[in-house]
């Protein structure tokens, strides 16, 4: 989800004022831009209307001959994409703006701010007398705005906690939502019936529309939950409980909604209908999951063959997932569950197959789309609030809000009593409070309400008003207060630490141990089945879906490789930095832990396990090419820089860097100890992952050397014919990489730099890729790096 | 009924107090014990080895060894037995009991320490109180033993890296000529404190009287 660290203002208050002024100006310009086109068109951005307009215009033109228009304004031609882009731009600029205001993001969650902006924009549009684009009606919302958010959530879903708590999550999602729907619907009906004050209005409300309303309003919304929970960083268990519930209750909502909508016209629901409803629920949920899983497996299988066309790898992930969603929606199955299943199923296999860059691309694109979607959704909520036909009824609305809260609390408490009997890690009262308080409603409820037809539901506007009120209440009141409450109650927060190799070893050890103890005890428990699934996965599925050698790689080794790569990247990135890439800077090195051998004939370095020559060479290449780059930049600053590096300030800095380079050389030798990565066949993705150089994510916020790719014009030349063999590997892989950066040859005067102990490498190939100028995301994004094999 | 029954109950009560299991759980486990031992009084290593579903477990030997390790009997003895009786069997099993809603923080800490000690004993095969590099390498090797052909260098590399991590975290500043003997129990506790052993290292012991080999409820 959206990174919260954002960009810092370069200096303090002094600079932020003009920036804010500029921002305000941009906002105004945008608003002008959005209002004027709305005025220019006779109707907002529905496709077929535009065609009708064009036809009319065409018909008129044929009669008279005009002078040839040198400059013409044809707004209708580009109207729809233009407006869409304007909205997206507005949303993004808003997001930027919030992070520039000093203390606001800490107090008010982004969702609140966005809704406020939406209200303002909606107000402006209404003042201008124009019609608001009906965005939150079905098509655009459900088909375009919702899927990216769900896919992002599903793809990065932490599988282990999700599966461990699946029973609890299902209980909350299914039973909890049912309870909410019936409780709210039933009590609302009762209240409406006993209402003496407005005899006409509320008495008209039948039981079935009430129940329908209850089912719409009862579902916890994933978008709202994500938006708020992202910012409060509570522990994993609570996060996955609330979030998982919001995802899985989609099936219940779909079934209840369709059930009550269908039969509202008829007026009665029989037992048979109820029974069919239950069956429908099973079909909807299991069918959705099945559809998602099928597409997920297809995607995994396709990714097995993409080793020669790395560029389009991310596309497969996105398109297959989207098609899973659409297919599920086609059959009225649960699209959200399909999307989650697709993302979760394909992820371990796809990640083993695709290149590192594709992985980064997928991650970035998903985050980007989901961020924009979420922003747009909240803005449009605000706009639709201003616009929508409202019918305020004090009783109805207040009773709804109160009932939502009450039913949520009762539901959570009641269910927890039952669930705790089956759980090992019981849910405490604090946990229950957070789960109850975190049950937010959002845009899905509003859209579902919007979809209702006025003819069948005369109380539609009243429903919409009540839904909006509940949404506002949960997002504003609950959203703003949950953070201080979490602090107040001292709820356990998310553990930021990355998993260490020791933890990984022992997690696996524990898994096997517990499976073994279960076998000795003789009952087939949780671990036994998990172990069976893992073995099945390893034996059959992985062989099918993962290309090449990686299909046989055990999880521990995969983890280890990943960790080593990260360490290597960190080390090189710190550019000869003082700290070793570990959380605790320490002077411990391999020498300290090697057992003392009776008289070591050679120095300790040689006593280390010898890694295969090829691997060693490769690692050296990587490191040196990174070094080359940094050196390159240093030298180019001196003589041939085309683009001045704004962050490099002064020769003294350069000298320091030069010294650091020398220190780094020494460290490369030490790297030998770290990077004992075994040989992998030359064309495995492991090698491709070894292209550390262009991984933008690993870049810390070190401004000096990495921002701007500097170009040495006179040294550019085609590939050196006498490159080392291994470089062929890189070249071949390079040529298929998407960013054909500028290729540079290292100047031959390299020997001036101190390179102790290395053999003559010859001239080497370098690629500067555009990725280098990409500042990496914040550190806590890295947690999602690891493949979550169950 | 009669004298023998009360005697059995009394015996179980004793065990229940020692290990913390309920009487029903002990009965269940006793049935299983009888099954494994062919109705004898003691179990030997071979009998545990012959459990078919254990065959696929990469750390089978260590698990079986843990049953015969005297250090897990809470009696401050070291060494290993040849055969174990029901009481020893239960004592080992008691390490895998989950915490209940009523366990206090101190009890949870104690439980965690006990479980970690169990793990530590499994790694520290020569009883010297530290896990040396050689022992750690063995651990990793065993873990990867069922995963096909793994090169020795990989195993060594992983174990080395893990050891290095322990050393760096616990003894940050060591001179180049100092030697890190091995992972002591305190260091072991330190590096694994993120895993919350008391909640992870448990299995579900069936309360009700079920025949063995029935599918257990999945925990959640």
């Amino acid at each position: 989800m959206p990174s919260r660290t954002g960009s810092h203002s370069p200096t303090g208050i002094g600079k932020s004022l003009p920036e804010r002024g500029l921002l305000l100006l941009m906002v105004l310009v945008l608003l002008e831009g959005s209002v004027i086109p709305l005025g220019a068109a006779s109707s907002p951005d529905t496709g077929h209307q535009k065609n009708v307009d064009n036809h009319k215009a065409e018909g008129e033109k044929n009669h008279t001959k005009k002078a040839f228009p040198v400059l013409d304004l044809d707004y209708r031609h580009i109207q729809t994409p233009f407006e869409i882009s304007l909205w997206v731009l507005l949303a993004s600029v808003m997001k930027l703006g919030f992070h520039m205001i000093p203390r606001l993001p800490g107090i008010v969650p982004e969702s609140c701010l966005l809704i406020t902006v939406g209200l303002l924009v909606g107000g402006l549009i209404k003042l201008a007398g124009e019609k608001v684009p009906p965005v939150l009606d079905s098509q655009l919302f459900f088909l375009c705005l919702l899927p990216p958010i769900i896919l992002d959530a599903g793809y990065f879903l932490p599988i282990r906690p999700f599966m461990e708590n699946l029973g609890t999550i299902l209980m909350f999602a299914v039973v909890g939502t049912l309870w909410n729907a019936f409780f709210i619907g039933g009590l609302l009906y009762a209240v409406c019936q006993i209402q003496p004050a407005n005899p006409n209005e509320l008495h008209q409300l039948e039981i079935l529309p009430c129940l329908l309303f209850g089912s719409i309003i009862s579902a916890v919304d994933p978008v709202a939950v994500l938006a708020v929970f992202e910012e409060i960083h509570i522990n994993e268990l609570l996060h996955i409980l609330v979030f998982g519930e919001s995802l899985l209750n989609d099936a219940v909502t779909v079934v209840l909604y369709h059930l009550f909508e269908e039969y509202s016209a008829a007026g009665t629901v029989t037992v048979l209908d109820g029974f069919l409803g239950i069956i429908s629920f099973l079909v909807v949920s299991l069918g959705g999951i099945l559809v998602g899983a099928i597409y997920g497996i297809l995607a995994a299988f396709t990714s097995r063959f993409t080793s020669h066309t790395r560029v389009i790898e991310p596309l497969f992930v996105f398109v297959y997932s989207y098609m899973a969603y659409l297919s599920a929606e086609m059959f009225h199955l649960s699209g959200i569950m399909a999307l989650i299943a697709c993302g979760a199923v394909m992820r371990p296999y796809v990640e083993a197959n695709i290149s590192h860059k594709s992985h980064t691309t997928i991650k970035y694109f998903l985050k980007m789309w989901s961020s924009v979607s979420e922003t747009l959704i909240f803005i449009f909520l605000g706009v639709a609030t201003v616009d929508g036909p409202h019918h305020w009824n004090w009783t109805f609305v207040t009773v709804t809000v109160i009932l939502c809260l009450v039913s949520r609390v009762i539901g959570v408490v009641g269910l927890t009593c039952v669930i705790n009997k089956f759980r090992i890690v019981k849910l405490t009262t604090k946990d229950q409070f957070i789960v109850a308080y975190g049950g937010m409603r959002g845009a899905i409820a509003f859209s579902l309400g919007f979809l209702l037809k006025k003819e069948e539901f005369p109380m539609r506007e009243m429903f919409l008003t009540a839904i909006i009120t509940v949404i506002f209440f949960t997002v504003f009141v609950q959203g703003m207060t949950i953070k201080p409450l979490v602090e107040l109650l001292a709820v356990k927060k998310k553990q930021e630490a990355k998993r260490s190799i020791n933890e990984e070893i022992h997690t696996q050890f524990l898994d096997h141990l517990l499976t073994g103890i279960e076998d000795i005890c003789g009952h087939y428990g949780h671990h036994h089945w998990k172990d069976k699934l893992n073995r099945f996965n390893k034996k059959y599925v992985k062989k099918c879906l993962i290309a090449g050698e990686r299909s046989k790689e055990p999880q521990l080794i995969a983890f280890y490789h990943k960790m080593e790569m990260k360490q290597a990247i960190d080390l090189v990135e710190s550019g000869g930095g003082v700290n070793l890439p570990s959380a605790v800077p320490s002077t411990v090195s391999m020498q300290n832990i090697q057992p003392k051998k009776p008289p070591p004939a050679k120095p300790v370095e040689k006593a280390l396990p010898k890694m295969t020559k090829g691997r060693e060479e490769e690692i050296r290449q990587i490191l040196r090419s990174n070094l080359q780059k940094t050196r390159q930049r240093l030298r180019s600053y001196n003589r041939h820089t085309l683009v001045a590096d704004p962050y490099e300030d002064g020769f003294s800095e350069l000298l320091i860097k030069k010294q650091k380079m020398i220190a780094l050389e020494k460290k490369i030798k030490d790297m030998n100890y770290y990077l004992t990565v075994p040989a992998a066949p030359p064309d495995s993705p492991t090698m491709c992952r070894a292209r550390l150089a262009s991984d933008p994510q690993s870049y810390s916020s070190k401004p000096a050397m990495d921002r701007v790719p500097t170009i040495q014009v006179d040294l550019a030349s085609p590939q050196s014919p006498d490159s080392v063999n291994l470089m062929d590997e890189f070249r071949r892989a390079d040529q298929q990489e998407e960013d054909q950066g500028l290729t540079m040859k290292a100047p031959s005067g390299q020997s001036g730099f101190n390179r102790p102990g290395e053999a003559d490498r010859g001239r080497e190939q370098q690629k500067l890729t555009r990725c280098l100028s990409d500042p990496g995301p914040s550190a806590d994004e890295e947690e999602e790096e690891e493949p979550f094999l169950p | 009924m009669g004298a023998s029954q009360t005697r059995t109950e009394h015996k179980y009560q004793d065990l229940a107090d020692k290990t913390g299991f309920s009487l029903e759980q002990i009965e269940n486990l006793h049935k299983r014990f009888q099954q494994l031992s062919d109705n004898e009084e003691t179990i030997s290593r071979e009998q545990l080895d012959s459990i078919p579903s254990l065959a696929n477990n990469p750390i089978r030997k260590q698990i079986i060894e843990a049953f015969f390790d005297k250090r897990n009997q809470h009696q401050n003895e070291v060494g290993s037995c040849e055969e174990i009786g029901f009481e020893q069997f239960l004592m080992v099993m008691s390490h895998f009991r989950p915490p209940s809603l009523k366990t206090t923080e101190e009890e949870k800490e104690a439980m965690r320490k006990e479980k970690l000690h169990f793990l530590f004993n499994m790694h520290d095969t020569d009883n010297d109180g530290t896990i040396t590099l050689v022992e750690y390498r063995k651990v990793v090797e065993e873990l990867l033993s069922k995963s096909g052909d793994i090169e020795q260098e990989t195993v060594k590399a992983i174990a080395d890296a893990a050891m290095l991590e322990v050393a760096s975290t616990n003894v940050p500043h060591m001179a180049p000529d100092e030697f890190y003997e091995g992972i002591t129990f305190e260091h072991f506790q330190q590096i694994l404190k993120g895993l919350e052993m008391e909640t992870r290292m448990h299995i579900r012991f069936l309360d009700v009287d079920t025949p063995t080999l029935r599918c257990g409820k999945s925990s959640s």
Side-chain angles (χ1 to χ4, degrees):
Chain A
M1 283 320 283
S3 151
R4 292 288 181 255
T5 55
S7 53
H8 311 289
S9 295
T11 54
I13 308 289
K15 265 205 176 182
S16 64
L17 270 177
E19 275 176 321
R20 278 194 239 164
L22 185 64
L23 202 59
L24 205 53
L25 191 63
M26 283 170 72
V27 169
L28 286 173
V29 166
L30 279 172
L31 289 179
E32 284 296 313
S34 66
V35 169
I36 287 177
L38 288 172
S42 57
S43 65
D45 55 335
T46 41
H48 65 277
Q49 284 278 24
K50 196 165 67 97
N51 284 338
V52 173
D53 283 337
N54 283 343
H55 272 279
K56 271 198 280 191
E58 264 176 42
E60 289 162 12
K61 259 187 210 156
N62 286 335
H63 299 308
T64 54
K65 182 174 184 240
K66 305 189 293 190
F68 188 77
V70 177
L71 192 63
D72 199 11
L73 179 72
D74 186 3
Y75 181 68
R76 289 196 205 109
H77 184 58
I78 48 109
Q79 180 179 359
T80 315
F82 191 77
E83 284 178 355
I84 295 175
S85 309
L86 266 183
W87 280 109
V88 173
L89 202 54
L90 174 71
S92 314
V93 168
M94 283 300 112
K95 255 179 115 66
L96 285 182
F98 293 147
H99 289 282
M100 289 197 181
I101 305 174
R103 274 187 9 247
L104 203 56
I107 310 175
V108 185
E110 232 177 63
S111 39
C112 304
L113 293 170
L114 290 171
I115 293 187
T116 319
V117 169
L119 288 172
L120 286 172
V121 172
L124 277 171
I125 295 183
K126 238 196 160 131
L127 277 178
E130 285 309 321
K131 202 164 170 308
V132 163
V135 173
L136 281 186
D137 80 339
S138 59
Q139 298 297 88
L140 192 58
F141 177 73
F142 280 112
L143 292 185
C144 299
L145 290 180
L146 194 59
I149 302 178
I150 305 295
L151 180 60
D152 180 41
Y155 194 76
F156 293 112
L157 192 69
I159 295 286
R160 191 179 254 258
F162 187 75
M163 285 299 163
E164 282 173 12
N165 294 297
L166 190 62
T168 315
I169 294 177
L170 277 177
M171 276 289 270
F172 279 129
V174 177
V175 180
T177 312
L178 279 173
W179 156 259
N180 277 345
F182 283 104
F183 185 77
I184 296 178
L187 277 189
L188 259 181
Y189 180 66
V191 166
C192 288
Q193 291 302 14
I194 67 174
Q195 256 306 314
N198 287 334
N200 304 331
E201 239 176 21
L202 293 180
H203 281 198
Q204 255 180 26
L205 209 50
E206 298 286 315
I207 178 77
L208 278 176
C210 267
L211 285 175
L212 176 62
F213 177 73
S215 68
I216 294 177
I217 198 86
S218 64
V220 177
D221 186 85
V223 180
V225 164
L226 263 179
V228 172
F229 271 48
E230 274 302 304
E231 300 185 11
I232 63 179
H233 298 301
I234 51 170
N235 62 55
E236 203 177 44
L237 173 67
L238 288 177
H239 188 219
I240 200 71
L241 280 182
V242 182
F243 182 57
E245 178 196 343
S246 69
L247 290 175
L248 294 187
N249 65 19
D250 182 58
V252 181
T253 312
V254 163
V255 169
L256 281 180
Y257 181 80
H258 283 125
L259 188 72
F260 290 132
E261 199 196 6
E262 284 278 320
Y263 293 121
S264 283
T268 54
V269 178
T270 64
V271 177
L272 181 65
D273 296 326
F275 190 61
L276 282 178
I278 297 177
I279 301 205
S280 165
F281 165 71
L282 288 171
V283 167
V284 162
S285 51
L286 294 175
I289 295 178
L290 189 68
V291 168
I294 292 176
Y295 274 100
I297 294 188
L298 277 177
F301 191 65
T302 314
S303 74
R304 186 182 164 177
F305 303 107
T306 57
S307 50
H308 299 289
T309 43
R310 295 274 180 203
V311 193
I312 56 174
E313 271 170 346
L315 195 66
F316 287 118
V317 172
F318 300 140
V319 173
Y320 273 113
S321 312
Y322 194 48
M323 285 188 65
Y325 180 75
L326 294 176
S327 311
E329 286 289 323
M330 179 168 71
F331 293 110
H332 279 300
L333 304 174
S334 168
I336 289 183
M337 291 177 91
L339 212 44
I340 300 286
C342 186
V345 163
M346 81 163 102
R347 189 178 175 201
Y349 310 110
V350 162
E351 298 231 322
N353 282 332
I354 61 177
S355 74
H356 201 57
K357 279 191 190 143
S358 302
H359 169 77
T360 313
T361 310
I362 291 177
K363 182 166 155 164
Y364 265 103
F365 263 88
L366 280 179
K367 298 289 181 204
M368 181 185 79
W369 274 329
S370 67
S371 175
V372 169
S373 274
E374 182 188 310
T375 316
L376 277 176
I377 287 179
F378 282 115
I379 289 188
F380 280 125
L381 254 184
V383 170
T385 308
V386 171
D387 171 60
H390 288 302
H391 182 85
W392 182 271
N393 183 310
W394 275 103
T395 328
F396 192 77
V397 173
T398 47
V399 168
T400 308
V401 174
I402 296 175
L403 277 182
C404 277
L405 286 173
V406 167
S407 80
R408 176 87 183 149
V409 171
I410 299 181
V412 168
V413 171
L415 280 175
T416 316
C417 285
V418 176
I419 290 173
N420 267 346
K421 291 203 181 62
F422 299 103
R423 278 182 67 90
I424 299 288
V425 182
K426 317 277 182 197
L427 293 176
T428 64
T429 321
K430 260 194 251 175
D431 295 337
Q432 291 174 37
F433 175 75
I434 296 291
V435 171
Y437 206 67
M440 314 212 172
R441 317 306 203 259
I444 293 186
F446 183 76
S447 302
L448 286 177
F450 214 84
L451 274 176
L452 294 174
K453 297 193 199 36
K454 180 83 180 179
E455 307 81 49
E456 297 174 24
F457 299 96
M459 314 301 288
R460 176 176 175 263
E461 275 131 33
M462 199 168 71
F463 285 175
L464 281 179
T465 314
I467 295 176
I468 292 253
T469 317
V470 173
I471 295 179
F472 271 47
F473 182 81
T474 56
V475 172
F476 278 90
V477 174
Q478 288 181 250
M480 280 207 264
T481 54
I482 199 169
K483 194 161 185 177
L485 274 173
V486 162
E487 304 282 335
L488 194 69
L489 291 176
V491 178
K492 234 177 359 172
K493 294 278 194 114
K494 186 157 78 163
Q495 280 175 319
E496 292 295 345
K498 267 194 95 58
R499 213 175 214 194
S500 69
I501 184 113
N502 278 297
E503 285 181 355
E504 180 70 22
I505 291 178
H506 282 97
T507 310
Q508 297 224 352
F509 191 82
L510 210 55
D511 276 343
H512 290 298
L513 173 65
L514 293 174
T515 314
I517 297 288
E518 272 188 3
D519 289 332
I520 293 181
C521 262
H523 73 262
Y524 289 159
H526 185 58
H527 292 277
H528 181 93
W529 294 114
K530 206 162 80 149
D531 190 57
K532 266 212 158 102
L533 184 68
N534 273 341
R535 268 188 283 129
F536 172 73
N537 188 21
K538 198 156 66 166
K539 206 160 160 201
Y540 300 112
V541 182
K542 272 191 183 170
K543 290 226 174 70
C544 249
L545 298 180
I546 299 183
E549 277 295 313
R550 298 234 350 151
S551 61
K552 296 198 212 72
E553 196 177 51
Q555 188 185 352
L556 185 59
I557 296 191
F559 179 86
Y560 173 66
H561 282 185
K562 222 171 172 98
M563 202 187 73
E564 289 289 89
M565 292 301 171
K566 275 216 176 81
Q567 274 188 345
I569 294 169
D570 286 344
L571 188 70
V572 177
E573 261 317 295
S574 61
V578 189
N579 292 336
L580 291 177
S582 60
V584 178
S586 85
T587 54
V588 181
S589 73
M590 286 309 245
Q591 295 163 278
N592 294 103
I593 65 173
Q594 289 303 321
K596 287 198 178 68
K597 294 197 160 71
K602 308 165 194 174
V604 183
E605 288 105 46
K606 301 274 173 49
L608 282 179
K610 182 134 182 44
M611 60 177 166
T612 44
K613 207 79 172 59
R615 215 34 168 170
E616 200 175 304
E617 303 294 293
E618 189 205 325
I619 301 296
R620 287 220 184 92
Q621 295 287 23
I622 298 164
L623 293 174
R624 199 162 310 98
S625 67
N626 266 296
L627 263 197
Q628 295 293 346
K629 248 184 279 283
T630 36
R631 278 197 211 132
Q632 208 64 33
R633 267 175 241 123
L634 292 179
R635 287 161 63 92
S636 60
Y637 181 90
N638 284 337
R639 287 180 274 153
H640 304 287
T641 320
L642 279 189
V643 183
D645 190 340
Y647 291 98
E648 285 196 335
D649 40 344
F651 261 87
S652 51
E653 280 260 297
L654 290 176
L655 289 177
I656 296 174
K657 277 172 200 148
K658 233 189 240 186
Q659 282 161 9
K660 283 186 181 171
M661 284 301 117
I662 298 173
L664 184 57
E665 287 292 349
K666 287 212 191 81
K667 286 267 189 285
I668 287 184
K669 262 200 357 182
D670 283 337
M671 280 304 285
N672 252 350
Y673 305 140
Y674 290 96
L675 292 178
T676 52
V677 182
D683 56 353
S684 77
T686 318
M687 284 289 279
C688 297
R689 255 175 254 278
R691 317 247 8 269
L692 316 165
S694 35
D695 178 17
Q697 182 179 339
S698 59
Y699 282 56
S700 52
S701 54
K702 199 174 181 305
M705 291 188 263
D706 313 322
R707 282 296 154 107
V708 179
T710 51
I711 306 166
Q712 262 195 337
V713 175
D714 56 346
L715 295 181
S717 67
Q719 296 171 0
S720 146
D722 54 351
S723 302
V724 189
N725 269 352
L726 273 169
M727 292 310 293
D728 282 343
E729 165 68 38
F730 285 104
R731 227 186 307 141
R732 240 186 296 120
D734 282 356
Q735 277 157 2
Q736 293 129 20
E737 294 290 356
E738 60 269 43
D739 27 336
Q740 299 290 324
L742 297 159
T743 54
M744 286 168 40
K745 202 133 66 107
S748 44
Q750 285 281 266
S751 46
F753 282 82
N754 187 4
R755 276 201 272 155
E758 314 291 8
D760 188 332
R761 288 278 143 247
R763 287 174 302 181
E764 285 158 8
Q765 195 67 24
Q766 273 187 8
K767 266 174 92 92
L768 271 185
T769 59
R770 272 187 292 273
C771 286
L772 285 175
S773 52
D774 180 14
S778 59
D780 57 354
E781 304 269 35
E782 294 211 356
E783 285 168 15
E784 288 137 337
E785 262 275 63
E786 303 169 8
F788 280 100
L789 295 167
Chain B
M1 283 303 156
S4 64
Q5 184 73 4
T6 45
R7 207 163 10 102
T8 324
E9 274 174 18
H10 192 269
K11 185 172 73 172
Y12 282 178
Q13 188 57 47
D14 208 21
L15 287 172
D17 294 331
K18 262 199 221 160
T19 59
F21 284 121
S22 74
L23 289 173
E24 288 156 332
Q25 287 171 332
I26 295 184
E27 271 214 36
N28 259 327
L29 287 170
H30 192 76
K31 286 205 187 86
R32 180 63 179 166
F33 185 82
Q34 304 278 39
Q35 224 191 13
L36 288 175
S37 68
D38 299 324
N39 290 317
E40 301 273 326
E41 283 293 318
T42 57
I43 286 186
S44 69
R45 283 188 177 81
E46 292 74 33
Q47 281 163 325
L48 280 183
D49 220 3
S50 61
I51 301 176
S53 37
L54 263 189
N56 288 316
N57 203 315
I59 55 170
R60 183 183 50 167
K61 283 204 286 287
Q62 271 92 335
I63 299 178
I64 294 177
E65 208 40 53
F67 275 90
F68 294 90
D69 191 339
K70 282 199 191 146
R71 287 175 296 176
N72 293 327
Q73 298 296 330
H74 292 214
Q75 276 164 2
N76 295 331
E77 290 176 12
V78 288
S80 62
C81 331
E82 281 306 314
E83 298 191 330
I84 53 169
F86 183 55
E87 185 173 329
Q88 284 92 0
F89 183 75
L90 267 190
M91 282 303 286
V92 172
M93 284 298 184
S94 74
H95 286 97
F96 294 94
R97 277 182 45 246
S100 70
L101 202 51
K102 299 189 211 64
T103 35
T104 61
E105 278 306 312
E106 298 86 43
E107 282 172 14
K108 278 195 185 147
E109 273 299 313
M111 211 180 222
R112 184 189 307 183
K113 194 164 175 189
E114 187 188 309
K115 296 187 193 234
L116 278 177
H117 210 94
F118 186 85
L119 277 184
F120 188 80
N121 288 341
M122 282 183 83
H123 296 326
D124 181 21
T125 43
D126 60 358
N127 284 342
D128 64 353
T130 58
I131 304 177
T132 60
L133 187 61
V134 174
E135 285 168 344
Y136 212 14
R137 277 186 190 156
K138 188 106 188 14
V139 170
V140 177
E141 194 182 313
E142 289 293 311
L143 253 187
L144 293 173
S145 59
K146 293 257 186 257
S147 312
D149 282 328
I150 307 295
E151 289 171 12
Q152 272 302 98
E153 284 103 47
T154 324
V155 172
K156 284 200 186 127
I158 294 179
D160 290 349
M163 196 74 164
L164 189 63
E165 197 182 78
V166 179
S168 323
T169 333
N170 284 305
V171 194
H173 301 288
M174 279 177 93
D177 54 355
E178 277 178 61
F179 176 55
Y180 184 69
E181 292 285 342
I183 309 178
T184 61
F185 184 57
E186 287 73 35
H187 295 175
F188 192 68
Q189 273 182 300
Q190 181 67 24
I191 56 168
L192 288 188
K193 67 175 182 200
L195 278 186
E196 286 188 1
M197 268 314 153
E198 73 274 12
T199 48
R200 295 189 80 163
M201 185 165 144
H202 63 78
I203 67 169
R204 185 182 294 282
F205 290 100
L206 300 175
D207 269 337
V208 293
D209 193 9
T210 53
T212 53
L213 299 190
R214 198 178 88 169
C215 302
K217 284 193 277 264
S218 63
S219 64
S220 73

